[in-house]
């Protein structure tokens, strides 16, 4: 039997990242960056971090509430505007948060520490301001480059762009962003028993839930789903559907069901006639059977049919492969350590168990969500984590530490 890791490595080795494209920044959320981003100075100029008055700190050396000092206001600098005025001793400029510091000033006194506090918006700058407090040299000033210096690598190729990353790109003026294009994933369910969700259920039939589970998971991985529907047990139709995947330039074909021994399945024949398909037994549960091959040069991954097995198979084998296609630098999934709140039995295979993880007194504590049958989708719905019990482990005591993937 193949170890999970060996199967993952074999699958991943058949994938490489898709091509890149350039998108305008607003279209980039969730996309994978295709080039390193080198910063310029942030902030780009010295500016005030408060609303107040730009001053020379030495003018306010021994000022207090009891002994205030009056400064002459010689400029008014709203955010977004510069001033040519240079601040001399005894002078100040009204300044707003984010506005550039005028020449001559070396500190900003907060408006709250002056007699100009609590004015309505739109009040013009006063001619004079009385200051009640001292201020340190440099206080309330954000100096040019204090956050990031020119030349610093702020974002890396292979990084999936989050809201804050997009914000940084905007700050740096990166209007057009090199990203990997979205991989195209063709999706097929197979089995004569399957009925689409909108059709009435006839005796002996079941709803095709895998198409929906896997389509959501694929979309959530940042890929485009090309749904091929349900493959009936008919060679020509299956070939027609798979050829559609080729015509739509799919980067990978994912199917579910028909990978277990003795499965009544024509998908295997059709794929083999145009490529190859290997059936693996992976040392894991749920989802021991797995098929991997290619159809007309496009990688083909066949997941098990039971909905929980299909989901776990996706998380274990497909998500990482899609990550490689997407250009992600790191596809290994983050694990957290949790403590078992109950005894957990396993059969020695690497097991992915559905669990609820909750924080209790500062530790993450895990409880299984009922019976772990691979058709019991509710136990997955109720779970917020998969516990990863390593191969070779048959029993874990209460309080034992185990890895978990948070879902
Ligand atoms: P198989 O892998 O074909 O032996 O299928 C295993 C089990 O999964 C059977 O009970 C199938 O009815 C079920 N199954 C297969 N495909 C799907 C699907 N797309 N949606 C829901 N159940 C499925
Ligand atoms: Mg079947």
């Amino acid at each position: 039997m193949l170890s999970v890791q060996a199967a993952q490595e074999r699958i991943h080795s058949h994938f490489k990242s898709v091509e890149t494209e350039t998108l305008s920044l607003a279209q980039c959320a969730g996309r994978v960056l295709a080039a390193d981003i080198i910063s310029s100075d942030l902030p780009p100029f010295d500016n005030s971090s408060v609303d107040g008055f730009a001053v020379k700190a030495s003018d306010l050396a021994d000022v207090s509430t009891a002994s205030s000092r009056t400064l002459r206001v010689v400029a008014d600098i709203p955010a977004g505007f510069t001033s040519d005025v240079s601040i001399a001793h005894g002078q100040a400029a009204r300044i707003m948060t984010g506005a550039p510091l005028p020449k001559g000033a070396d500190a900003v006194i907060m408006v709250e520490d002056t007699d100009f506090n609590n004015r309505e918006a739109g009040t013009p700058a006063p001619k004079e301001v009385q200051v009640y407090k001292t201020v340190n040299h440099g206080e309330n000033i954000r100096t040019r480059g204090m956050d990031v210096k020119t030349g610093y690598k702020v974002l890396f190729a292979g990084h999936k762009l989050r809201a804050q990353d997009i914000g940084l790109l905007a700050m740096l003026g990166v209007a057009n962003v090199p990203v990997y294009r979205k991989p195209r994933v063709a999706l097929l369910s197979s089995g004569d028993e399957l009925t689409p969700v909108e059709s009435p259920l006839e005796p002996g039939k079941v709803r095709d839930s895998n198409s929906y589970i896997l389509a959501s998971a694929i979309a959530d991985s940042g890929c485009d789903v090309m749904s091929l529907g349900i493959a009936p047990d008919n060679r020509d139709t299956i070939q027609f559907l798979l050829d559609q995947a080729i015509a739509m330039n799919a980067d990978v074909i994912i199917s579910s069901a028909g990978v277990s021994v003795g499965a009544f399945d024509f998908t295997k024949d059709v794929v083999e006639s145009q490529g190859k398909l290997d059936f693996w037994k992976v040392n894991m549960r749920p989802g021991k059977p797995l098929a991997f091959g290619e159809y007309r040069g496009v990688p083909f991954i066949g997941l098990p049919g039971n909905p929980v097995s299909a989901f776990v198979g996706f998380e274990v084998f497909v998500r990482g492969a899609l990550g490689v296609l997407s250009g992600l630098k790191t596809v290994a999934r983050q694990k957290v350590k949790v403590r078992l709140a109950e005894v957990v039995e396993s059969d020695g295979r690497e097991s992915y168990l559905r669990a609820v993880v909750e924080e209790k007194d500062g530790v993450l504590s895990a409880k299984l969500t009922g019976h772990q049958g691979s058709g019991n989708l509710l136990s997955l719905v109720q779970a917020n984590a998969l516990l990863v019990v390593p191969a070779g482990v048959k029993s874990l005591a209460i309080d034992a530490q185990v890895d978990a993937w948070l879902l």
Side-chain angles (χ1 to χ4, degrees):
M1 240 185 319
L2 264 183
S3 72
V4 169
Q5 197 190 338
Q8 273 171 340
E9 283 166 6
R10 270 199 214 178
I11 292 174
H12 289 188
S13 72
H14 283 82
F15 290 87
K16 58 178 177 37
S17 55
V18 296
E19 319 83 80
T20 64
E21 60 187 353
T22 301
L23 291 185
S24 61
L25 183 59
Q27 296 174 288
C28 288
R31 300 297 287 266
V32 179
L33 199 56
D36 295 342
I37 301 292
I38 310 295
S39 192
S40 51
D41 275 343
L42 290 177
F45 51 85
D46 292 356
N47 69 92
S48 177
S49 64
V50 296
D51 292 334
F53 292 86
V55 297
K56 284 186 181 293
S58 59
D59 280 353
L60 304 174
D62 24 55
V63 160
S64 67
T65 324
S67 138
S68 63
R69 165 127 202 226
T70 302
L71 299 173
R72 204 154 66 77
V73 179
V74 295
D76 187 19
I77 318 173
F81 295 88
T82 56
S83 169
D84 294 336
V85 174
S86 186
I87 305 303
H89 281 290
Q91 296 183 338
R94 181 167 77 157
I95 192 165
M96 298 301 175
T97 306
L101 194 75
K103 282 194 284 293
D106 55 27
V108 177
I109 185 89
M110 289 201 291
V111 70
E112 290 87 339
D113 298 325
T114 72
D115 68 341
F116 197 65
N117 195 14
N118 286 327
R119 300 300 157 101
E120 267 176 40
T123 309
K127 294 227 160 10
E128 289 184 335
V129 63
Q130 239 183 313
V131 182
Y132 301 123
K133 227 177 150 184
T134 58
V135 66
N136 293 322
H137 187 273
E139 202 172 324
N140 298 324
I141 294 172
R142 304 186 282 213
T143 56
R144 172 177 180 157
M146 95 183 238
D147 296 342
V148 192
K149 294 255 180 307
T150 296
Y152 188 76
K153 198 183 282 185
V154 283
L155 290 168
F156 294 80
H159 174 76
K160 190 172 191 157
L161 294 170
R162 306 161 300 165
Q164 59 270 47
D165 306 322
I166 303 270
L168 186 62
L169 291 171
M171 255 186 203
L172 293 172
V174 184
N176 299 298
V177 189
V179 293
Y180 290 94
R181 73 161 166 82
K182 276 184 160 196
R184 293 180 286 266
V185 182
L187 180 61
L188 187 68
S189 280
S190 65
D192 266 350
E193 75 276 32
L194 300 180
T195 304
V197 71
E198 43 300 286
S199 305
L201 205 57
E202 280 165 19
K205 307 278 184 190
V206 296
R207 300 244 187 254
D208 168 19
S209 50
N210 292 353
S211 286
Y212 300 91
I213 295 171
L214 296 171
S216 321
I218 291 164
D220 171 65
S221 310
C223 301
D224 283 332
V225 184
M226 305 181 333
S227 193
L228 303 176
I230 299 166
D233 288 338
N234 169 313
R235 278 188 185 76
D236 291 344
T237 314
I238 295 170
Q239 176 140 10
F240 171 80
L241 293 176
L242 292 175
D243 285 342
Q244 280 197 321
I246 303 301
M248 294 189 285
N249 284 315
D251 296 300
V252 55
I253 302 168
I254 308 292
S255 81
S256 67
V259 290
S260 45
V261 185
F264 186 70
D265 186 41
F266 294 103
T267 310
K268 175 178 183 297
D269 294 353
V270 175
V271 175
E272 278 177 340
S273 75
Q274 306 286 321
K276 58 174 192 275
L277 197 60
D278 293 324
F279 286 79
W280 298 347
K281 284 191 170 57
V282 185
N283 188 28
M284 68 184 285
R285 87 178 170 138
K288 180 166 80 176
L290 189 73
F292 183 71
E294 58 174 65
Y295 181 81
R296 296 177 60 187
V298 175
F300 180 101
I301 305 176
L303 298 170
N306 277 306
V308 177
S309 309
F311 176 88
V312 171
F314 179 90
E315 294 300 322
V316 175
F317 301 111
V318 183
R319 194 180 281 278
L322 299 186
V324 176
L325 271 177
S326 307
L328 279 181
K329 196 168 173 191
T330 313
V331 300
R333 189 162 183 155
Q334 284 205 342
K335 291 171 177 165
V336 295
K337 296 272 181 213
V338 300
R339 270 186 203 286
L340 295 179
E342 63 185 309
V343 172
V344 166
E345 309 286 351
S346 182
D347 67 355
R349 286 183 279 168
E350 181 164 320
S351 299
Y352 292 82
L353 305 178
R354 289 143 259 169
V356 173
V357 169
E358 273 176 351
E359 195 185 307
K360 278 201 186 120
D361 306 325
V363 287
L364 295 176
S365 163
K367 246 193 165 126
L368 300 187
T369 56
H371 96 85
Q372 302 278 308
S374 53
N376 181 10
L377 194 56
L378 181 62
S379 65
L380 183 56
V381 167
Q382 289 171 335
N384 64 2
L386 288 176
L387 306 186
V388 188
V389 178
V393 174
K394 293 210 163 162
S395 179
L396 287 163
I398 291 181
D399 273 349
Q401 224 185 34
V402 58
D403 285 333
W405 285 350
L406 299 181
L407 299 175

